[in-house]
Amino acid sequence: MKQEKSAKGKAFPLMHRQIMMFKAWLRGTHHHCTHLQKYIDEFCYRFNRLKYQDTLFHKLIERMVFTQPSFLSKISMLLNALFFFPLHKF
């Protein structure tokens, strides 16, 4: 088995692009990185959110429009049952 020189990102162009985007984001946003995994997690979250262009406000309005209303009496009954009759005793 013999190691061959890489073609500098030509074998895996999408992976190379992602790595370059991460490095550019990290250099541009954060000047000092102590916990790399947290930054990687944040980058992945932001990258995955790119295809969902709706904001949290739009999602909230959409759910309010397309969901059946909940009446205060039903919510009160559920809260009373939850707080006054807990499922688990400590």
Side-chain angles (χ1 to χ4, degrees):
M1 185 178 279
K2 184 179 175 184
Q3 182 177 0
E4 296 179 19
K5 281 192 161 188
S6 70
K8 297 201 180 209
K10 292 183 181 175
F12 301 100
L14 293 176
M15 184 176 72
H16 181 68
R17 185 180 306 150
Q18 291 301 319
I19 292 170
M20 295 306 292
M21 287 172 56
F22 173 72
K23 288 164 80 175
W25 173 79
L26 191 61
R27 286 183 191 129
T29 306
H30 309 287
H31 301 287
H32 181 68
C33 179
T34 54
H35 301 287
L36 184 61
Q37 186 61 49
K38 291 181 180 181
Y39 292 105
I40 292 172
D41 293 342
E42 181 181 349
F43 177 79
C44 291
Y45 172 77
R46 289 173 183 251
F47 179 77
N48 289 334
R49 292 287 302 162
L50 285 177
K51 63 182 174 182
Y52 303 112
Q53 294 296 323
D54 292 339
T55 62
L56 185 60
F57 176 74
H58 289 106
K59 288 292 183 185
L60 177 65
I61 296 298
E62 181 181 307
R63 289 184 183 186
M64 289 170 57
V65 169
F66 293 115
T67 304
Q68 294 294 322
S70 295
F71 297 101
L72 184 59
S73 59
K74 183 178 179 182
I75 295 172
S76 298
M77 183 179 67
L78 290 173
L79 289 175
N80 285 335
L82 181 65
F83 289 113
F84 296 114
F85 302 107
L87 299 175
H88 302 287
K89 293 183 180 179
F90 296 104

